[in-house]
Amino acid sequence: MAVRSFIGVVHARQAGYAREAGIVAFSHGREAPVKDLSPGDRVVLYAPRTDFDGDPVQAFVAHAVVTGDAPYIREFPMGEGWCRDASYDDVTPAPVRPMLEDLSFVKDPRYWGMAFRRGKFEISEADYRTIATALEVQP
């Protein structure tokens, strides 16, 4: 099976928790977003804010590779939810705005935020490479 790449939209605090716990989770712990992941899939976490009502971040903040074979339920600081095990790379957060013209999933840079309204979505290899380069990840 081919390796796929995804963006997960979470607050920066949630990204930090996921990295510390060695997991990926999306959409408030729903099962469906983690169910279709496979070991080896790459996940880039985008943080719109520090927390639900926090300060703007608007950056890619983490890079993970899925390692878990199956989703499972885990207790999170914000409640119980589904997740998958993942390993994280050390990255330098990368602001999204300088990349807007280069990301194919951003249809109109004036309304770029619309692309991130989904909790998780698949991206092309070219988009992954653009983001991974900005994060200083070796793709």
Side-chain angles (χ1 to χ4, degrees):
M1 181 178 260
V3 172
R4 299 171 301 157
S5 302
F6 297 91
I7 290 179
V9 180
V10 300
H11 299 299
R13 183 176 65 94
Q14 293 168 313
Y17 171 77
R19 180 188 168 107
E20 185 178 299
I23 60 166
V24 290
F26 315 97
S27 303
H28 307 286
R30 290 191 203 118
E31 182 182 18
V34 293
K35 192 174 185 179
D36 72 342
L37 294 173
S38 298
D41 285 348
R42 304 171 293 200
V43 177
V44 176
L45 297 180
Y46 170 78
R49 297 185 164 277
T50 55
D51 214 329
F52 184 73
D53 289 324
D55 296 325
V57 174
Q58 298 179 344
F60 298 103
V61 297
H63 179 274
V65 175
V66 175
T67 58
D69 290 327
Y72 61 94
I73 295 177
R74 178 187 177 106
E75 191 67 34
F76 302 120
M78 57 294 277
E80 186 178 88
W82 289 89
C83 64
R84 281 257 182 144
D85 290 336
S87 63
Y88 280 79
D89 296 303
D90 290 328
V91 299
T92 302
V96 68
R97 287 182 186 267
M99 292 180 244
L100 294 177
E101 297 286 338
D102 300 322
L103 298 172
S104 67
F105 61 86
V106 176
K107 301 303 180 201
D108 185 340
R110 293 176 299 168
Y111 306 106
W112 65 270
M114 296 302 291
F116 295 96
R117 294 278 171 121
R118 303 167 279 175
K120 180 193 121 208
F121 57 97
E122 191 167 356
I123 59 174
S124 70
E125 182 65 20
D127 287 341
Y128 170 77
R129 288 192 182 282
T130 297
I131 298 165
T133 299
L135 289 170
E136 300 178 11
V137 172
Q138 297 299 318

